Amino acid sequence: MQLTKPATYLVVGASGVPIDVAVTTVASAGIGVIAAQAVGWFVAATWNWAWNRRETWDSDADPLREWARYLGVDAGRLAVRLGVVAVVVGAVPGIVATVVGIGAATVLGFLGFDRLVFADA
């Protein structure tokens, strides 16, 4: 059974969450929870791009250009995530704020990737 694009995107995204949370948690010990969001994001975004490219959109576009576009779109998701984290981090632990921020940006990411990064796939 083959999953739909949105379902595959969610599976790929879910596989990146533990990577993101782990990197963010480790980095936050040295640079704080807000700055660590960018480190966790970059590592997980690269992971997710590689798997979304292969499994969700089956893209054969130039990888470097596509990765750069992916990071650009995902930077918009990061902005949403950081905003959410900044609002809720005082009320919940940093790891919970991170997961809430990631969840808030999920739909935005799918639409942007589908229309701006992998439109030709």
Side-chain angles (χ1 to χ4, degrees):
M1 176 173 90
Q2 186 167 348
L3 297 174
T4 64
K5 267 187 201 178
T8 305
Y9 169 77
L10 289 173
V11 169
V12 169
S15 77
V17 171
I19 292 167
D20 194 334
V21 171
V23 171
T24 299
T25 300
V26 170
S28 68
I31 61 176
V33 71
I34 298 297
Q37 300 297 311
V39 178
W41 165 79
F42 181 80
V43 173
T46 299
W47 168 272
N48 288 348
W49 163 74
W51 284 103
N52 274 319
R53 170 183 171 77
R54 179 177 172 204
E55 299 298 328
T56 308
W57 282 276
D58 192 27
S59 176
D60 61 1
D62 174 61
L64 189 56
R65 294 179 92 145
E66 185 180 85
W67 180 65
R69 284 195 315 264
Y70 190 95
L71 291 179
V73 169
D74 214 39
R77 280 182 10 98
L78 178 60
V80 170
R81 170 183 167 174
L82 289 174
V84 170
V85 169
V87 168
V88 302
V89 75
V92 298
I95 195 168
V96 174
T98 299
V99 172
V100 171
I102 290 168
T106 298
V107 172
L108 173 66
F110 179 80
L111 295 173
F113 299 139
D114 195 55
R115 289 173 174 80
L116 301 172
V117 177
F118 301 110
D120 297 329

mmCIF file of all heavy atoms in Angstrom, residues 96-118:
data_model
loop_
_atom_site.group_PDB
_atom_site.id
_atom_site.type_symbol
_atom_site.label_atom_id
_atom_site.label_comp_id
_atom_site.label_asym_id
_atom_site.label_seq_id
_atom_site.Cartn_x
_atom_site.Cartn_y
_atom_site.Cartn_z
ATOM 1 N N VAL A 96 8.945 20.332 25.401
ATOM 2 C CA VAL A 96 7.527 20.412 25.037
ATOM 3 C C VAL A 96 7.296 21.601 24.113
ATOM 4 O O VAL A 96 6.588 21.495 23.102
ATOM 5 C CB VAL A 96 6.632 20.501 26.295
ATOM 6 C CG1 VAL A 96 5.169 20.723 25.922
ATOM 7 C CG2 VAL A 96 6.790 19.244 27.144
ATOM 8 N N ALA A 97 7.913 22.733 24.418
ATOM 9 C CA ALA A 97 7.797 23.909 23.557
ATOM 10 C C ALA A 97 8.318 23.610 22.157
ATOM 11 O O ALA A 97 7.730 24.043 21.159
ATOM 12 C CB ALA A 97 8.564 25.083 24.173
ATOM 13 N N THR A 98 9.394 22.851 22.062
ATOM 14 C CA THR A 98 9.963 22.481 20.763
ATOM 15 C C THR A 98 8.978 21.656 19.948
ATOM 16 O O THR A 98 8.731 21.940 18.772
ATOM 17 C CB THR A 98 11.278 21.686 20.967
ATOM 18 O OG1 THR A 98 12.208 22.526 21.654
ATOM 19 C CG2 THR A 98 11.876 21.247 19.644
ATOM 20 N N VAL A 99 8.378 20.652 20.562
ATOM 21 C CA VAL A 99 7.429 19.793 19.850
ATOM 22 C C VAL A 99 6.189 20.585 19.437
ATOM 23 O O VAL A 99 5.687 20.434 18.315
ATOM 24 C CB VAL A 99 7.059 18.559 20.706
ATOM 25 C CG1 VAL A 99 5.938 17.758 20.070
ATOM 26 C CG2 VAL A 99 8.292 17.680 20.905
ATOM 27 N N VAL A 100 5.699 21.455 20.293
ATOM 28 C CA VAL A 100 4.541 22.292 19.953
ATOM 29 C C VAL A 100 4.882 23.207 18.769
ATOM 30 O O VAL A 100 4.090 23.362 17.837
ATOM 31 C CB VAL A 100 4.066 23.109 21.171
ATOM 32 C CG1 VAL A 100 3.019 24.143 20.775
ATOM 33 C CG2 VAL A 100 3.519 22.169 22.237
ATOM 34 N N GLY A 101 6.069 23.783 18.785
ATOM 35 C CA GLY A 101 6.496 24.646 17.684
ATOM 36 C C GLY A 101 6.600 23.896 16.365
ATOM 37 O O GLY A 101 6.173 24.392 15.316
ATOM 38 N N ILE A 102 7.150 22.696 16.417
ATOM 39 C CA ILE A 102 7.255 21.873 15.205
ATOM 40 C C ILE A 102 5.860 21.564 14.660
ATOM 41 O O ILE A 102 5.608 21.696 13.458
ATOM 42 C CB ILE A 102 8.023 20.570 15.505
ATOM 43 C CG1 ILE A 102 9.504 20.866 15.773
ATOM 44 C CG2 ILE A 102 7.895 19.581 14.341
ATOM 45 C CD1 ILE A 102 10.273 19.690 16.357
ATOM 46 N N GLY A 103 4.964 21.170 15.520
ATOM 47 C CA GLY A 103 3.605 20.843 15.088
ATOM 48 C C GLY A 103 2.882 22.019 14.456
ATOM 49 O O GLY A 103 2.181 21.861 13.452
ATOM 50 N N ALA A 104 3.084 23.200 15.013
ATOM 51 C CA ALA A 104 2.401 24.390 14.497
ATOM 52 C C ALA A 104 2.813 24.725 13.066
ATOM 53 O O ALA A 104 2.044 25.313 12.311
ATOM 54 C CB ALA A 104 2.675 25.576 15.410
ATOM 55 N N ALA A 105 4.013 24.328 12.683
ATOM 56 C CA ALA A 105 4.523 24.689 11.364
ATOM 57 C C ALA A 105 4.368 23.582 10.317
ATOM 58 O O ALA A 105 4.755 23.767 9.166
ATOM 59 C CB ALA A 105 5.994 25.071 11.488
ATOM 60 N N THR A 106 3.763 22.475 10.659
ATOM 61 C CA THR A 106 3.700 21.319 9.761
ATOM 62 C C THR A 106 2.904 21.579 8.486
ATOM 63 O O THR A 106 3.372 21.282 7.386
ATOM 64 C CB THR A 106 3.130 20.095 10.520
ATOM 65 O OG1 THR A 106 4.033 19.792 11.584
ATOM 66 C CG2 THR A 106 2.990 18.897 9.627
ATOM 67 N N VAL A 107 1.712 22.109 8.587
ATOM 68 C CA VAL A 107 0.872 22.342 7.398
ATOM 69 C C VAL A 107 1.528 23.369 6.482
ATOM 70 O O VAL A 107 1.575 23.181 5.262
ATOM 71 C CB VAL A 107 -0.547 22.786 7.804
ATOM 72 C CG1 VAL A 107 -1.359 23.213 6.597
ATOM 73 C CG2 VAL A 107 -1.250 21.652 8.545
ATOM 74 N N LEU A 108 2.048 24.424 7.046
ATOM 75 C CA LEU A 108 2.747 25.443 6.265
ATOM 76 C C LEU A 108 3.870 24.809 5.437
ATOM 77 O O LEU A 108 4.037 25.110 4.258
ATOM 78 C CB LEU A 108 3.324 26.513 7.197
ATOM 79 C CG LEU A 108 4.230 27.557 6.553
ATOM 80 C CD1 LEU A 108 3.440 28.425 5.587
ATOM 81 C CD2 LEU A 108 4.900 28.398 7.623
ATOM 82 N N GLY A 109 4.610 23.921 6.045
ATOM 83 C CA GLY A 109 5.706 23.264 5.351
ATOM 84 C C GLY A 109 5.239 22.438 4.172
ATOM 85 O O GLY A 109 5.783 22.543 3.075
ATOM 86 N N PHE A 110 4.223 21.615 4.362
ATOM 87 C CA PHE A 110 3.751 20.777 3.255
ATOM 88 C C PHE A 110 3.339 21.624 2.065
ATOM 89 O O PHE A 110 3.725 21.343 0.924
ATOM 90 C CB PHE A 110 2.591 19.872 3.679
ATOM 91 C CG PHE A 110 2.089 19.032 2.533
ATOM 92 C CD1 PHE A 110 2.773 17.884 2.166
ATOM 93 C CD2 PHE A 110 0.981 19.407 1.800
ATOM 94 C CE1 PHE A 110 2.339 17.116 1.086
ATOM 95 C CE2 PHE A 110 0.545 18.658 0.720
ATOM 96 C CZ PHE A 110 1.222 17.502 0.366
ATOM 97 N N LEU A 111 2.568 22.644 2.305
ATOM 98 C CA LEU A 111 2.101 23.492 1.200
ATOM 99 C C LEU A 111 3.265 24.170 0.482
ATOM 100 O O LEU A 111 3.307 24.219 -0.747
ATOM 101 C CB LEU A 111 1.103 24.529 1.715
ATOM 102 C CG LEU A 111 -0.200 23.950 2.267
ATOM 103 C CD1 LEU A 111 -1.035 25.056 2.913
ATOM 104 C CD2 LEU A 111 -0.986 23.237 1.179
ATOM 105 N N GLY A 112 4.201 24.700 1.234
ATOM 106 C CA GLY A 112 5.353 25.354 0.632
ATOM 107 C C GLY A 112 6.228 24.395 -0.149
ATOM 108 O O GLY A 112 6.663 24.699 -1.264
ATOM 109 N N PHE A 113 6.495 23.225 0.403
ATOM 110 C CA PHE A 113 7.334 22.256 -0.292
ATOM 111 C C PHE A 113 6.657 21.769 -1.566
ATOM 112 O O PHE A 113 7.287 21.660 -2.615
ATOM 113 C CB PHE A 113 7.666 21.062 0.609
ATOM 114 C CG PHE A 113 8.414 21.430 1.851
ATOM 115 C CD1 PHE A 113 8.115 20.839 3.058
ATOM 116 C CD2 PHE A 113 9.420 22.380 1.825
ATOM 117 C CE1 PHE A 113 8.798 21.173 4.212
ATOM 118 C CE2 PHE A 113 10.113 22.733 2.980
ATOM 119 C CZ PHE A 113 9.800 22.128 4.169
ATOM 120 N N ASP A 114 5.369 21.495 -1.479
ATOM 121 C CA ASP A 114 4.641 20.978 -2.629
ATOM 122 C C ASP A 114 4.565 21.994 -3.762
ATOM 123 O O ASP A 114 4.692 21.639 -4.932
ATOM 124 C CB ASP A 114 3.232 20.552 -2.206
ATOM 125 C CG ASP A 114 2.550 19.691 -3.245
ATOM 126 O OD1 ASP A 114 3.136 18.653 -3.631
ATOM 127 O OD2 ASP A 114 1.430 20.040 -3.665
ATOM 128 N N ARG A 115 4.393 23.268 -3.436
ATOM 129 C CA ARG A 115 4.191 24.287 -4.458
ATOM 130 C C ARG A 115 5.475 25.010 -4.889
ATOM 131 O O ARG A 115 5.559 25.488 -6.012
ATOM 132 C CB ARG A 115 3.169 25.300 -3.965
ATOM 133 C CG ARG A 115 1.772 24.693 -3.933
ATOM 134 C CD ARG A 115 0.747 25.611 -3.297
ATOM 135 N NE ARG A 115 -0.594 25.103 -3.390
ATOM 136 C CZ ARG A 115 -1.136 24.182 -2.611
ATOM 137 N NH1 ARG A 115 -0.415 23.614 -1.684
ATOM 138 N NH2 ARG A 115 -2.386 23.803 -2.771
ATOM 139 N N LEU A 116 6.471 25.073 -4.004
ATOM 140 C CA LEU A 116 7.652 25.871 -4.311
ATOM 141 C C LEU A 116 8.936 25.061 -4.482
ATOM 142 O O LEU A 116 9.846 25.514 -5.174
ATOM 143 C CB LEU A 116 7.875 26.922 -3.203
ATOM 144 C CG LEU A 116 6.708 27.887 -2.998
ATOM 145 C CD1 LEU A 116 6.960 28.749 -1.760
ATOM 146 C CD2 LEU A 116 6.489 28.745 -4.217
ATOM 147 N N VAL A 117 9.038 23.934 -3.852
ATOM 148 C CA VAL A 117 10.284 23.162 -3.919
ATOM 149 C C VAL A 117 10.158 21.983 -4.879
ATOM 150 O O VAL A 117 11.004 21.793 -5.748
ATOM 151 C CB VAL A 117 10.701 22.648 -2.521
ATOM 152 C CG1 VAL A 117 11.958 21.792 -2.606
ATOM 153 C CG2 VAL A 117 10.906 23.817 -1.565
ATOM 154 N N PHE A 118 9.105 21.213 -4.743
ATOM 155 C CA PHE A 118 8.947 20.001 -5.530
ATOM 156 C C PHE A 118 7.823 20.119 -6.559
ATOM 157 O O PHE A 118 7.247 19.116 -6.967
ATOM 158 C CB PHE A 118 8.651 18.810 -4.602
ATOM 159 C CG PHE A 118 9.724 18.550 -3.579
ATOM 160 C CD1 PHE A 118 9.499 18.801 -2.225
ATOM 161 C CD2 PHE A 118 10.956 18.042 -3.960
ATOM 162 C CE1 PHE A 118 10.478 18.535 -1.277
ATOM 163 C CE2 PHE A 118 11.948 17.784 -3.015
ATOM 164 C CZ PHE A 118 11.707 18.031 -1.678
#
